[in-house]
Amino acid sequence: MILDNRGLEPPQPMMRTLTALAKLKKGETLKIINDRRPMFLFEELDDLGYTYQTQKRSDGSYEITIEKKDDDDDG
């Protein structure tokens, strides 16, 4: 799934992204495109246990590929 968040004012890109991530199953990926590097989103992804890769695009926007890892129920 690709989610184009360009042109949206904060916090809309983050809210749209978190809503889409809630629908992912483990092992699935979400690709988002943002006007800016989403620093606050990265903190949230770390807390929620997602992995992600960031790439700056030639137009100055950022493409972030986010993967839902396996659920851990260790405790």
Side-chain angles (χ1 to χ4, degrees), residues 1 21 23-30 49-51 65-71:
M1 174 193 276
L21 286 174
K23 299 174 184 174
L24 284 186
K25 295 183 172 96
K26 60 184 172 185
E28 291 183 332
T29 59
L30 171 67
Y50 288 93
T51 59
T65 303
I66 306 164
E67 181 178 358
K68 183 169 186 172
K69 297 192 73 159
D70 292 345
D71 298 326

Side-chain angles (χ1 to χ4, degrees), residues 18 21 41-50 52 64 66:
L18 292 174
L21 286 174
L41 176 64
F42 294 150
E43 294 174 19
E44 194 72 25
L45 294 175
D46 288 337
D47 288 346
L48 295 171
Y50 288 93
Y52 53 90
I64 298 94
I66 306 164

